[in-house]
Amino acid sequence: MSCEQTLIQQLRARGFRLTPQREMVLSVLHDGEGLVTAEEGHSRVQRLSSAVDISTVYRTLGLLPKFDLVSSVDPGDGQRRYEFLGLHGAHLHLICQACGQVSGIDLEVAPALVEQLQAACGFQAALDQLSIPGLCPACAVAPDG
Amino acid sequence: MSCEQTLIQQLRARGFRLTPQREMVLSVLHDGEGLVTAEEGHSRVQRLSSAVDISTVYRTLGLLPKFDLVSSVDPGDGQRRYEFLGLHGAHLHLICQACGQVSGIDLEVAPALVEQLQAACGFQAALDQLSIPGLCPACAVAPDG
DNA sequence: CTAAATGCAAATATTTTGCAGGTTA
DNA sequence: TAACCTGCAAAATATTTGCATTTAG
């Protein structure tokens, strides 16, 4: 089933409607590479239909994660980012504090962490929404800049 | 050496000055329990001296983490939080997505994670600035509300 | 037809910045 | 005294909300 179909299904199942705007927002997330801010999503959507308002983009970006089609992360730079999930599934994000680059890696790096958190304090970690700050390989070598 | 002394030393070492405002900001972080937003810090500081401006609090909160006296984390709710480090040292934060509660736990839960990230992609994780989203024990039981 | 969604504009919230005057070393 | 810091006000940024109108089902 295409993600488009999934969207329609999920919307209907909960009494939401399929609008061109929602299709477009899903589409730009689908086609775009990786993490997208609301603003970026908005400008990409506007290439498809220039009248779409950014408030609609915000509303849609708030909606899509509920359908497991999109995930959202806050890299801690004051701009939440959204990402299409269909292709690779959930993963976690590594955020370089020096250059801002974000890379996604498989959740499999951290199964032990989840178990340990569960065991140690009963906390149920949602790794798919996790972003880990640090230094990417390039910046780790040259800490300044 | 008291954290006050450390602050003075760190400030002087880098050509910064010790001001009452900076002392007060450090003080409220020191006395407060756990994570504090800029706004919270500001209102606590104002109890000590009502004229202190929030922009000064922001400036100081941007400064203190550089001295390893304070750490900052962004729980992903659009409000960065700050925390005094002297007592317990660095740790990571578990953030409940249902009730918003934040608890800190020792970095020792995740040494394997750091190694794996380093090995897998050369990423140097800064766990002390990490916050992990998920569900706290209470909310994990009663997912709604 | 009706509930839901959109566009627009205005409101909110958070953090940053310019600058004149005050303060630390 | 000189560089640094503060308070104030205004700006910048990001996101949300009210409401009249439009639209999907």
Side-chain angles (χ1 to χ4, degrees):
Chain A
M1 185 169 59
S2 77
C3 59
E4 187 84 342
Q5 291 305 310
T6 306
L7 174 62
I8 296 174
Q9 197 175 61
Q10 296 271 12
L11 285 169
R12 299 246 166 101
R14 307 206 199 180
F16 294 111
R17 290 176 184 174
L18 179 67
T19 64
Q21 291 88 341
R22 285 173 178 173
E23 282 188 280
M24 285 187 279
V25 171
L26 181 65
S27 160
V28 303
L29 289 177
H30 182 277
D31 297 344
E33 75 300 316
L35 296 161
V36 172
T37 64
E39 186 106 17
E40 285 162 1
H42 177 227
S43 65
R44 292 187 198 179
V45 166
Q46 286 202 316
R47 285 178 221 151
L48 303 175
S49 168
S50 58
V52 179
D53 192 77
I54 194 162
S55 69
T56 299
V57 175
Y58 271 107
R59 287 187 271 229
T60 303
L61 288 174
L63 197 63
L64 291 176
K66 294 174 185 162
F67 303 154
D68 295 323
L69 283 168
V70 163
S71 78
S72 77
V73 293
D74 185 335
D77 65 347
Q79 272 188 208
R80 183 160 287 277
R81 282 158 195 278
Y82 300 83
E83 179 173 32
F84 182 69
L85 279 185
L87 304 168
H88 25 48
H91 53 264
L92 53 80
H93 297 102
L94 305 178
I95 297 167
C96 179
Q97 299 179 303
C99 67
Q101 193 203 74
V102 182
S103 52
I105 63 170
D106 199 272
L107 293 180
E108 289 313 305
V109 292
L113 177 64
V114 179
E115 284 170 36
Q116 242 170 320
L117 291 175
Q118 181 69 252
C121 43
F123 189 85
Q124 209 167 91
L127 289 195
D128 55 312
Q129 288 158 68
L130 178 61
S131 29
I132 301 179
L135 294 176
C136 71
C139 295
V141 175
D144 257 320
Chain B
M1 184 169 58
S2 75
C3 58
E4 188 84 342
Q5 290 304 310
T6 307
L7 173 62
I8 296 174
Q9 196 175 61
Q10 295 271 13
L11 285 171
R12 298 245 167 103
R14 308 207 200 180
F16 295 111
R17 289 177 185 173
L18 179 67
T19 64
Q21 291 89 341
R22 286 173 179 174
E23 281 189 281
M24 285 187 278
V25 171
L26 181 65
S27 160
V28 302
L29 289 177
H30 182 278
D31 297 344
E33 75 301 313
L35 296 161
V36 173
T37 64
E39 186 108 16
E40 285 162 2
H42 178 227
S43 67
R44 292 188 198 179
V45 166
Q46 286 201 315
R47 284 179 221 149
L48 305 175
S49 170
S50 58
V52 179
D53 192 76
I54 195 164
S55 68
T56 299
V57 175
Y58 271 106
R59 286 187 273 229
T60 304
L61 288 174
L63 198 63
L64 291 176
K66 296 176 185 163
F67 303 154
D68 295 323
L69 284 167
V70 163
S71 78
S72 77
V73 291
D74 185 335
D77 65 348
Q79 271 187 211
R80 183 160 288 276
R81 284 158 195 276
Y82 301 82
E83 180 174 34
F84 182 69
L85 280 185
L87 304 168
H88 25 50
H91 53 265
L92 54 82
H93 297 102
L94 305 178
I95 297 166
C96 179
Q97 299 179 302
C99 68
Q101 193 202 73
V102 182
S103 52
I105 64 169
D106 199 273
L107 294 180
E108 291 312 305
V109 291
L113 176 65
V114 179
E115 285 169 36
Q116 243 170 318
L117 291 175
Q118 182 68 251
C121 43
F123 190 83
Q124 210 166 91
L127 289 195
D128 55 312
Q129 290 159 67
L130 178 61
S131 29
I132 301 179
L135 294 174
C136 72
C139 295
V141 175
D144 256 320

